[in-house]
């Protein structure tokens, strides 16, 4: 492709829509898992909630295996070095098994004190610990899926990862009720059956991802220099992720200080926000994949045009979602609760939630552009700074001054606006658009 060639919109959405399917598949399965376990009673459901929270937090911190691998593989793909691009997936998979094994060991050693702190040392802690000790054996499998998503996105194939993830979730969905409730002559394992079903489904997905690597006929031996580069890139992504976690955990803690209605309302609006971010993140993944490939091929002007087009599309989608939630402001909250106090608190957060959607559309798209460019050090610094300057001060001031959800969601709004200003400035500066196939471990932002 020449420097004047542009990626058609059909290609952008051809990458984004399957990526959205992968992003949405796991949350949808979790709802099914909750429904199955929920029939055992409140104690089992609480145990699943606590155990699942711990495992999810661990997985969230390791997303560099997908996003970092995509950035490196996309550059090599754009440069025409397909074997090296797939090779990034091989090394990321080795890392997945190494880190995943370490996670198993740490969780087995620390499961009891960790769940006791979160659940208060009660019967809930015992239920959560039993689930977690089994479910954590899926850690290397989960991380293998992340690595697989990473290299396949890098070579611009988001359909196969969707098939692999869905295949595993179908297995989990079929096995879960059988093991939990002892159907079809199977032993009744109750809550532990949910954990076993999760691991079995994850094993199916991981096997499919590994099989795809084997079929590529690339070297399947460890390359320590590549793994070291991936880990150095991952360091910045982990720190960025920790900043997000600190913000949202602080928001939840502060909301709890204002009573049950505030916590419930915050949780509902936050879950709706997570749904919106899933949609926007799918376009960010397309941006990451295509921009990385364009820079790898030396098409800097094409990468800049892509950044503008995908940002425009993302902003338009986000604006459309804002219109939907504006029109549905009286109907949608009532789908989740009929409690008048909770509905009143939701109304406070609702307009902040709606207002930041178009801003988030720009932020997510440009995050994807900068991730594709490997500018992760800048993203790390920007996220940490925006959290420390914008979100966290308003969150804790909200608790001190009694501002409730208005203060919490004002903090999220300021955080999002500051992030938008940061990424718009960075993309406008052009310093991110460094061409070449070799991303190295460095970030453009460290230059």
């Amino acid at each position: 492709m020449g420097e004047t060639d542009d990626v058609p919109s059909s290609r952008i959405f051809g990458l984004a829509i399957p990526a959205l399917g992968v992003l949405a598949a796991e949350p949808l399965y979790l709802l099914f898992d909750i429904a199955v376990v929920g029939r055992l009673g409140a104690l089992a459901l609480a145990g699943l909630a606590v155990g699942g929270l711990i495992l999810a937090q661990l997985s969230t911190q390791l997303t560099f295996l997908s996003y970092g691998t995509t950035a490196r593989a996309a550059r090599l793909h754009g440069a025409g070095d397909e074997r090296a691009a797939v090779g990034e997936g091989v090394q990321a998979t080795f890392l997945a098994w190494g880190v995943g094994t370490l996670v198993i060991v740490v969780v087995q050693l620390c499961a009891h004190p960790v769940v006791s702190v979160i659940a208060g040392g009660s019967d809930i802690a015992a239920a959560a610990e039993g689930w977690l000790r089994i479910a954590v054996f899926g850690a290397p499998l989960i991380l293998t899926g992340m690595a697989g998503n990473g290299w396949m996105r890098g070579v611009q194939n988001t359909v196969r990862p969707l098939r692999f993830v869905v295949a595993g979730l179908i297995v989990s969905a079929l096995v879960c009720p059988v093991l939990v409730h002892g159907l079809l002559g199977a032993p009744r394992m109750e809550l532990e059956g949910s954990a076993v079903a999760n691991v079995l489904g994850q094993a199916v997905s991981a096997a499919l991802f590994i099989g795809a690597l084997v079929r590529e006929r690339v070297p399947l031996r460890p390359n320590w220099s590549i793994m070291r580069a991936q880990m150095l890139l991952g360091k910045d992504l982990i720190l960025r992720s920790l900043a997000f976690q600190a913000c949202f955990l602080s928001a939840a803690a502060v909301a709890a200080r204002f009573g049950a209605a505030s916590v419930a309302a915050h949780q509902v609006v936050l879950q709706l926000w997570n749904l919106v971010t899933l949609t926007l993140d799918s376009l960010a993944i397309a941006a990451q994949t295509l921009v990385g490939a364009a820079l790898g091929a030396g098409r800097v002007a094409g990468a800049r045009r892509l950044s503008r087009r995908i940002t425009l599309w993302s902003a338009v989608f986000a604006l459309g979602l804002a219109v939907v939630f504006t029109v549905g402001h009286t109907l949608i909250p009532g789908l989740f609760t009929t409690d008048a106090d909770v509905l009143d608190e939701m109304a406070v957060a609702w307009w902040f939630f709606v207002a930041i959607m178009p801003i988030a559309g720009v932020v997510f798209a440009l995050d994807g552009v900068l991730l594709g460019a490997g500018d992760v050090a800048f993203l790390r610094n920007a996220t940490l700074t925006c959290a420390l300057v914008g979100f966290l001060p308003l969150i804790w001031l909200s608790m001190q001054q009694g501002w409730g959800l208005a203060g919490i969601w004002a903090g999220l709004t300021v955080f999002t606006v500051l992030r938008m200003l940061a990424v718009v400035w960075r993309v406008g500066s052009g310093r991110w658009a460094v061409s070449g196939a070799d991303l190295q471990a460095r970030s453009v932002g460290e230059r």
Side-chain angles (χ1 to χ4, degrees):
M1 292 174 62
E3 181 69 32
T4 59
D5 291 338
D6 280 318
V7 177
S9 297
S10 59
R11 183 62 179 155
I12 296 172
F13 293 110
L15 292 169
I17 293 172
L20 176 60
V22 171
L23 293 169
E26 185 68 21
L28 289 174
Y29 172 74
L30 289 177
L31 291 175
F32 174 81
D33 198 11
I34 289 169
V36 172
V37 171
R39 295 181 178 273
L40 298 174
L43 178 60
L45 196 55
L48 176 62
V50 172
L53 173 65
I54 295 169
L55 191 59
Q57 290 301 311
L58 290 170
S59 299
T60 299
Q61 303 312 317
L62 299 171
T63 53
F64 76 89
L65 285 166
S66 55
Y67 291 99
T69 304
T70 296
R72 292 175 59 85
R75 290 237 177 191
L76 293 163
H77 172 75
D81 194 347
E82 204 74 7
R83 284 175 62 83
V86 177
E88 291 289 332
V90 173
Q91 304 311 315
T93 302
F94 277 118
L95 269 181
W97 280 89
V99 174
T101 301
L102 180 62
V103 168
I104 292 174
V105 172
V106 171
V107 169
Q108 294 298 341
L109 291 173
C110 303
H112 181 71
V114 171
V115 297
S116 295
V117 168
I118 295 175
S122 60
D123 291 342
I124 296 174
E129 183 178 343
W131 184 92
L132 182 61
R133 287 190 182 277
I134 297 171
V136 75
F137 283 99
L141 308 171
I142 295 169
L143 300 183
T144 297
M146 289 185 185
N149 267 286
W151 75 263
M152 286 187 181
R153 289 171 183 171
V155 301
Q156 300 189 15
N157 188 335
T158 56
V159 174
R160 273 203 298 173
L162 177 60
R163 291 173 181 162
F164 295 169
V165 169
V166 169
L169 292 179
I170 288 173
V171 170
S172 293
L174 292 174
V175 174
C176 185
V178 173
L179 294 182
V180 170
H181 298 292
L183 306 178
L184 305 176
R188 182 181 171 90
M189 299 179 68
E190 299 195 342
L191 181 57
E192 285 76 9
S194 162
V196 172
N198 286 347
V199 173
L200 290 175
Q202 290 153 5
V204 169
S205 292
L208 291 170
F209 278 113
I210 291 172
L213 278 176
V214 172
R215 287 192 296 275
E216 293 289 336
R217 300 186 182 279
V218 297
L220 299 176
R221 53 183 177 272
N223 185 315
W224 300 111
S225 63
I226 294 177
M227 282 192 275
R228 190 180 307 113
Q230 290 178 342
M231 286 189 287
L232 288 172
L233 187 68
K235 174 197 67 177
D236 291 328
L237 294 172
I238 289 172
L239 289 172
R240 178 172 177 262
S241 180
L242 285 171
F244 286 123
Q245 295 303 315
C247 288
F248 288 108
L249 288 174
S250 297
V254 172
R257 302 300 191 274
F258 294 106
S262 291
V263 175
H266 176 69
Q267 186 63 21
V268 171
V269 180
L270 188 61
Q271 290 307 310
L272 290 172
W273 172 247
N274 288 339
L275 177 64
V276 170
T277 62
L278 281 177
T279 304
L280 299 178
D281 207 26
S282 63
L283 277 167
I285 287 170
Q288 184 183 2
T289 300
L290 294 168
V291 166
L295 292 176
R299 295 184 289 107
V300 173
R304 288 175 174 153
R305 286 195 298 274
L306 270 168
S307 71
R308 291 191 292 269
R309 288 175 61 205
I310 295 178
T311 301
L312 177 61
W313 277 114
S314 185
V316 168
F317 273 121
L319 184 61
L321 289 170
V323 170
V324 170
F325 283 101
T326 297
V327 173
H329 76 279
T330 57
L331 174 64
I332 297 172
L335 299 175
F336 297 93
T337 182
T338 57
D339 186 290
D341 291 336
V342 175
L343 289 171
D344 287 343
E345 291 289 339
M346 285 179 68
V348 173
W350 195 263
W351 299 112
F352 291 101
F353 163 61
V354 169
I356 60 177
M357 283 185 206
I359 302 169
V362 175
V363 171
F364 274 67
L366 294 182
D367 271 359
V369 169
L370 296 178
L371 282 169
D375 201 4
V376 292
F378 173 81
L379 288 173
R380 174 203 65 200
N381 294 337
T383 304
L384 288 169
T385 301
C386 294
L388 292 172
V389 172
F391 199 168
L392 294 176
L394 274 172
I395 290 295
W396 297 111
L397 191 60
S398 174
M399 182 175 69
Q400 183 183 27
Q401 299 296 322
W403 293 339
L405 289 191
I408 292 171
W409 280 83
L412 178 59
T413 302
V414 171
F415 178 56
T416 308
V417 170
L418 290 176
R419 286 177 61 208
M420 183 191 71
L421 294 175
V423 294
V424 167
W425 171 81
R426 184 63 171 183
V427 170
S429 75
R431 293 177 61 192
W432 58 278
V434 178
S435 65
D438 190 0
L439 184 61
Q440 304 287 326
R442 64 172 174 79
S443 167
V444 177
E446 293 174 336
R447 288 153 55 92

